[in-house]
Amino acid sequence: MKRACLVAMVVAACSGPAKPPVVVPPPQPPPAADYRPAPPAVAMPDQPALRLPKNFVETRANVELTIDPAADGFDGYIELHGKVTEASGRFWLHAIKLDIADASIIADATDTPIALVAKPVGADLLELDAAKPVDAGDYHFSIKFHGRYDLTNTTGAFKQVVAGAPYVFSQFEAIYARRAFPCVDEPDAKIPWQLTLRVPKDLVAVANTPVEHDVVDGAIRTVAFATTRPLPSYLVAFGVGPFEIVDAGTTKSGVPVRAITLHGRAADAAWAAQTTPRILDELEAWFGVKYPYPKLDVLSIPLTVGFGAMENAGLVTFTESLILLDPQKASLRRKASWVAVASHELAHQWFGDSVTMDWWDDIWLNEGFADWLERRIAARVMPEWHLELGVLDERRGALAADSVVSARAVRQPIATPDDILNVFDGITYEKGASVLAMFESYVGPDKFQQGIRDYVAAHADGNASVTDFVAAISRVHGSDLAPAFATFLDQAGAPELTGSLDCRGTPKLALAQHRYLPVGSPAAPDTKPWIVPVCVAYDRDGARAEACGLVSADANEVALPAKRCPRWTYANADGHGYYHLAHTADDAAKLRDEAWSQLTPIERRALFAEVSDAARQGQLALPLALSFVPRLLAAGDRFSVGDAIGFPRSLDRYVTDDVRAKYESWLRATFAPAATAAGLTPKKTDDLDAESERGDLVGEALAAHEPALVAEAVKQADHWRDLPQSTRGLVLGAAVEADAAVFARVLRDVHDEADRARRNEAYGALANVSDLAKQRQALALVIDDKLDIRETRWILFGSRTLANEAQGRQFFRDHQAAILARMPSDDTTGESVSIANLFMSCDPKLRDEAVAYVTATFGAMPGAKHDLAEDIEQNDQCIARHAVVEPMVRGWLTGVKIPKPPSSKKNK
């Protein structure tokens, strides 16, 4: 599953050439550190605390659902086959918001039903009681039930209406299959499923597998799908509606591929149809194993909340904005986003679907792995986009998420349902991927790939744990990596390394470590020393060299073979190390001035990230960090340019009113020439770098009120709907800010705009106005019952200034009940808790009152306790950082001279 906040262009390195399928190696003993959880007991408690007892072990399921999207709900029947492991009179299944009409258990040998009394218990349990104990043996449950479509949350079986046509979709990860049918809704309950859908005869029904029977009787079409290979309940999926089907052909190995689109949108699936088979081809080559399922459909969902895509086996779902692209106006960024996210979801077909984690504490193996591999596969599919250069963004996001004391470990013990909801976060995705990238760099790409191939082949159609995964990597590496993996997976936080060069004898770099904690952090619990794979780039007698080692508290040196003492060292070769790297001012300047030409583009960006982060903590001077900006701009690639812009822009919140003119003047002087040269009109020759850089540079110049560009934006806004997608949002944002007439027109247009992409671009522009009167009009859209709050809610967060932020907070307080009543609130996909960020203002005077308010308002929501703890700690860090950085920014800007407007004889 791809989280909604992650649905963006993701980037990666391309691995080596394809290899033939591998032979499954003989079983290897696990490493010394065994992660395996103890098996659940068979005991039957009065009420299961989290996992169901194993007195019934399921083996297969037959599900029949009557799905009419025009109705309010659905009828269903399930036969759940399995073994009763000991004489039992009480059984447990998962079920929520389901009305049970009839339930019995039937002995397979005699076909004799035994009536069961079905009783909902707690939030999501179904108790099934027999009049007397049932003997051990082969049985199946027979249960009839009724459920209701969710109209707000995109969980379970949910309904959405587009242009008057209703559709029904499913989303079962993490624990939502229980909303569509009673089941054992746990990842290790992996069984074959046979699904039959009864739907109105004119509609299309799709599911995980190909259709076996399709019979129309009167007004009803009965569609029976082939039995799946073993799947956990969270990967079962279906969709019903007036879909259009786009044949995308077959892969090289013969897998049929289709795009299933909303009605009237077949043409918009052209890019998905063109690229999906190519992605599957590359994945088959990378894994050395054919795609494990008989077909692949990619299905569009109008609107998703909390996720952007889902890896259901054979039926992968994507939010509309990812998969359906305007063939004429879609931006290259949007096309790249599709390739990246589709690569992520299709990687899951092997890693997550065919091989599924034992339990939710290892969900990082699914999501972190898919994040890690998507960059490699996307770079193979579109090599000209150089997606591998974006690997650093994921690492930076992970280190940021890991920089709070309240951060959780990657393998956090799962003790409550809230723990399941909390694992779909940056620690699972970005940290999981970054740790894998670090160990890949240490082990070597070829060996690492072979270990993964061995793991996938050995556990196909089954479940596995991190113990199995690390054992496979350790085997190909030739040494036990479990202790090193454990230091990164089983404790929160990340190390900060400080290097000390010793040139007595063979030069060596000693690396001290401690847990990285930003200014303003509370005291952290003790952590074990990390065992860190470190690769050092260094000057060896005038040329670049590299040396690697496994650094720990006991063995903290990396030898740097050279005839003389290296002039420079950089202890994060390739930028893959999952750690912070401390620099002195002299070392940072030396890397900038002497080593720059010998560093790779990713290393340069990693160095700049380390220096700029240190400046934001008051550990290095701000002008030193800013001195890297011209070098990054000169690099010319979209990633370096984006970094060069991003750091100065991050200083905005530390700029006081009395020096703001100087700040904006510096921005214009630094970025406006390149922005003006790029212009607001895309060129036919634009590649992804040019398109992205135009967006970043022009966006920066517009934010700094560059007059010529603002005037051009207002002019182009007259026909904003017809603009290319790559500049439409920029134009709208600048025009509604600068021109009252454009603002009024766009405010009116959103009510009638049928295209979701354009509508959301308009919402984004309206959300970012600074004028308080305009902002009040934009905020009113959030509570407009004619609009979908799942789209308009983002207007709450679009504030430009402190006054705008305050007005947004007050608006929510004034309309709290109305907003929360319409907001999605379900567990992993719930968005209500995210509103707490609105009150994390970085203002010490508001801190205590804000904490009390968000705790009282959001604290009881599912998964909120952990999220709020992180929000509050990040706010405390922001308050402390503000006290450090604001004087530095003031000191820098005090010396900035505002250039006089250019003049000429013509103007005189």
Side-chain angles (χ1 to χ4, degrees):
M1 180 168 70
K2 197 71 171 175
R3 295 179 302 148
C5 60
L6 292 179
V7 178
M9 184 170 49
V10 187
V11 287
C14 183
S15 301
K19 296 184 178 180
V22 298
V23 177
V24 178
Q28 300 292 319
D34 192 345
Y35 288 94
R36 300 178 194 275
V42 176
M44 289 153 284
D46 290 337
Q47 180 177 334
L50 184 62
R51 304 193 71 170
L52 300 184
K54 296 296 185 181
N55 60 321
F56 178 82
V57 178
E58 64 287 351
T59 57
R60 62 185 176 91
N62 299 78
V63 180
E64 298 179 11
L65 299 174
T66 299
I67 302 288
D68 181 357
D72 295 327
F74 57 96
D75 293 314
Y77 171 71
I78 185 168
E79 285 185 359
L80 188 59
H81 294 256
K83 292 182 178 294
V84 174
T85 58
E86 63 178 41
S88 304
R90 174 173 296 168
F91 303 93
W92 294 93
L93 295 176
H94 290 112
I96 185 169
K97 299 180 181 178
L98 297 177
D99 300 322
I100 307 301
D102 180 73
S104 60
I105 187 168
I106 302 171
D108 291 350
T110 64
D111 203 30
T112 302
I114 301 170
L116 296 173
V117 176
K119 176 185 175 184
V121 175
D124 57 358
L125 295 174
L126 182 65
E127 179 184 328
L128 298 168
D129 291 318
K132 61 180 182 179
V134 175
D135 293 334
D138 295 331
Y139 293 83
H140 65 270
F141 291 117
S142 173
I143 305 174
K144 295 179 181 178
F145 56 92
H146 177 78
R148 288 164 291 282
Y149 303 130
D150 201 314
L151 303 180
T152 303
N153 302 286
T154 52
T155 53
F158 61 93
K159 173 178 172 178
Q160 295 188 355
V161 179
V162 179
Y167 299 78
V168 170
F169 304 92
S170 66
Q171 168 61 22
F172 292 161
E173 191 178 39
I175 48 176
Y176 307 123
R178 63 194 68 178
R179 300 190 174 192
F181 40 75
C183 60
V184 181
D185 202 8
E186 298 175 353
D188 64 343
K190 198 169 181 182
I191 60 173
W193 297 79
Q194 194 281 312
L195 180 63
T196 299
L197 298 179
R198 290 166 50 82
V199 305
K201 67 180 180 65
D202 294 328
L203 298 185
V204 177
V206 291
N208 301 89
T209 53
V211 174
E212 279 198 339
H213 302 288
D214 185 344
V215 178
V216 175
D217 183 6
I220 298 298
R221 176 187 299 275
T222 300
V223 185
F225 297 91
T227 301
T228 72
R229 293 173 71 159
L231 294 175
S233 53
Y234 81 84
L235 290 174
V236 176
F238 58 85
V240 177
F243 297 119
E244 295 184 358
I245 299 176
V246 178
D247 186 349
T250 61
T251 64
K252 293 178 181 178
S253 63
V255 178
V257 180
R258 305 184 303 175
I260 315 297
T261 81
L262 303 174
H263 181 70
R265 301 292 300 277
D268 294 342
W271 180 243
Q274 176 184 336
T275 53
T276 301
R278 291 162 56 188
I279 295 169
L280 217 55
D281 287 338
E282 293 294 348
L283 283 162
E284 286 189 333
W286 197 92
F287 282 108
V289 177
K290 185 181 176 181
Y291 173 71
Y293 303 107
K295 60 91 175 173
L296 173 64
D297 290 339
V298 290
L299 170 65
S300 57
I301 298 177
L303 177 67
T304 60
V305 179
F307 73 101
M310 179 62 204
E311 67 267 19
N312 312 298
L315 181 67
V316 182
T317 55
F318 296 88
T319 189
E320 173 191 325
S321 59
L322 271 170
I323 188 173
L324 301 182
L325 306 182
D326 185 326
Q328 304 300 321
K329 299 185 182 299
S331 67
L332 292 174
R333 278 183 170 181
R334 282 280 299 275
K335 289 185 174 182
S337 292
W338 161 259
V339 172
V341 177
S343 296
H344 175 110
E345 301 306 333
L346 299 189
H348 275 308
Q349 305 296 295
W350 287 264
F351 213 104
D353 293 8
S354 179
V355 183
T356 307
M357 72 284 173
D358 281 332
W359 184 234
W360 295 111
D361 54 357
D362 270 335
I363 189 63
W364 79 276
L365 268 177
N366 287 21
E367 301 299 350
F369 176 86
D371 257 20
W372 170 81
L373 186 58
E374 75 175 59
R375 302 185 304 272
R376 287 148 179 78
I377 298 303
R380 285 173 178 248
V381 174
M382 300 299 295
E384 66 272 25
W385 287 347
H386 298 291
L387 298 172
E388 68 281 358
L389 295 178
V391 63
L392 192 65
D393 299 328
E394 190 162 59
R395 171 180 169 269
R396 290 192 68 184
L399 289 170
D402 221 6
S403 66
V404 290
V405 171
S406 52
R408 61 175 193 83
V410 174
R411 296 197 77 253
Q412 186 74 24
I414 304 296
T416 69
D418 271 13
D419 292 331
I420 299 174
L421 310 180
N422 289 143
V423 297
F424 293 89
D425 64 359
I427 296 299
T428 284
Y429 287 78
E430 286 98 335
K431 183 175 180 178
S434 299
V435 169
L436 291 175
M438 177 174 64
F439 279 96
E440 179 203 26
S441 183
Y442 178 70
V443 171
D446 291 341
K447 287 185 176 180
F448 201 74
Q449 182 184 35
Q450 186 61 53
I452 291 168
R453 287 179 165 189
D454 294 349
Y455 168 83
V456 169
H459 299 284
D461 283 334
N463 294 83
S465 72
V466 68
T467 298
D468 304 305
F469 178 79
V470 174
I473 303 300
S474 295
R475 186 186 67 80
V476 297
H477 183 249
S479 66
D480 183 10
L481 295 174
F485 265 100
T487 61
F488 285 91
L489 300 180
D490 292 345
Q491 63 182 357
E496 182 173 51
L497 304 184
T498 303
S500 176
L501 189 61
D502 182 354
C503 288
R504 293 171 296 179
T506 299
K508 48 189 173 290
L509 186 67
L511 291 160
Q513 63 167 274
H514 62 270
R515 180 173 178 174
Y516 174 80
L517 292 173
V519 61
S521 299
D526 292 337
T527 54
K528 295 179 181 179
W530 283 267
I531 304 174
V532 190
V534 175
C535 289
V536 182
Y538 67 101
D539 162 53
R540 183 168 65 191
D541 310 320
R544 175 191 168 112
E546 292 184 19
C548 298
L550 205 58
V551 173
S552 65
D554 299 323
N556 70 335
E557 293 180 342
V558 179
L560 308 177
K563 293 179 181 178
R564 60 176 182 265
C565 194
R567 291 183 56 80
W568 58 267
T569 64
Y570 183 61
N572 191 8
D574 292 330
H576 289 322
Y578 188 73
Y579 45 81
H580 297 263
L581 192 57
H583 299 278
T584 66
D586 287 344
D587 286 341
K590 191 174 292 185
L591 288 167
R592 179 196 62 197
D593 298 334
E594 297 185 26
W596 193 260
S597 64
Q598 298 185 65
L599 298 179
T600 68
I602 291 176
E603 289 167 350
R604 294 171 186 171
R605 295 180 60 222
L607 169 62
F608 178 61
E610 291 151 1
V611 172
S612 57
D613 286 345
R616 275 187 287 251
Q617 300 299 316
Q619 296 165 348
L620 289 176
L622 187 58
L624 173 64
L626 289 167
S627 72
F628 284 78
V629 169
R631 291 180 177 268
L632 289 165
L633 286 174
D637 66 272
R638 64 189 181 278
F639 303 104
S640 298
V641 171
D643 287 353
I645 293 172
F647 174 60
R649 285 300 293 158
S650 73
L651 303 176
D652 182 272
R653 71 175 307 113
Y654 309 110
V655 177
T656 53
D657 291 342
D658 58 317
V659 291
R660 178 157 295 278
K662 291 191 173 187
Y663 173 65
E664 293 185 354
S665 173
W666 186 91
L667 293 176
R668 287 193 297 272
T670 305
F671 302 116
T676 302
L680 271 172
T681 303
K683 300 177 177 63
K684 291 183 179 180
T685 57
D686 281 351
D687 58 11
L688 184 55
D689 274 343
E691 180 188 279
S692 300
E693 289 169 24
R694 173 179 290 104
D696 291 341
L697 288 165
V698 172
E700 187 63 22
L702 290 171
H705 309 295
E706 178 63 22
L709 286 172
V710 171
E712 177 62 19
V714 171
K715 180 180 177 181
Q716 290 193 16
D718 283 340
H719 52 96
W720 69 270
R721 285 187 174 92
D722 300 324
L723 296 175
Q725 187 178 51
S726 62
T727 58
R728 200 161 54 213
L730 286 174
V731 167
L732 275 179
V736 299
E737 170 73 3
D739 191 278
V742 175
F743 174 84
R745 185 168 69 252
V746 174
L747 188 71
R748 182 180 65 251
D749 287 349
V750 293
H751 289 84
D752 303 318
E753 179 53 58
D755 181 76
R756 192 179 304 274
R758 288 180 175 85
R759 190 165 65 241
N760 284 324
E761 287 160 354
Y763 287 144
L766 295 170
N768 280 284
V769 293
S770 60
D771 179 82
L772 293 177
K774 287 182 180 178
Q775 184 196 14
R776 285 192 292 274
Q777 295 179 71
L779 286 168
L781 299 177
V782 177
I783 55 172
D784 188 331
D785 58 11
K786 297 182 179 65
L787 302 175
D788 192 332
I789 197 170
R790 294 172 296 184
E791 294 179 342
T792 61
R793 71 188 189 277
W794 300 114
I795 297 174
L796 290 167
F797 299 92
S799 305
R800 283 197 178 196
T801 68
L802 295 178
N804 292 136
E805 289 180 10
Q807 182 161 267
R809 290 192 292 270
Q810 190 58 49
F811 181 87
F812 178 79
R813 285 177 181 268
D814 293 342
H815 303 279
Q816 175 183 316
I819 292 172
L820 292 181
R822 296 175 60 212
M823 282 281 288
S825 58
D826 263 355
D827 309 344
T828 340
T829 61
E831 292 293 320
S832 296
V833 176
S834 66
I835 296 177
N837 281 298
L838 194 65
F839 293 87
M840 301 294 105
S841 63
C842 202
D843 186 338
K845 298 187 294 294
L846 302 178
R847 189 264 184 201
D848 291 345
E849 191 274 337
V851 169
Y853 176 75
V854 299
T855 302
T857 304
F858 307 105
M861 294 180 179
K865 182 178 180 182
H866 174 77
D867 288 351
L868 292 181
E870 290 193 330
D871 290 344
I872 292 166
E873 186 179 345
Q874 288 168 349
N875 189 53
D876 290 342
Q877 289 178 353
C878 181
I879 290 170
R881 187 167 57 247
H882 201 284
V884 171
V885 178
E886 184 182 313
M888 295 172 62
V889 170
R890 176 180 292 278
W892 162 56
L893 289 174
T894 299
V896 170
K897 294 183 178 179
I898 302 178
K900 294 180 180 179
S903 60
S904 68
K905 291 183 178 179
K906 285 186 179 181
N907 293 332
K908 289 183 179 179

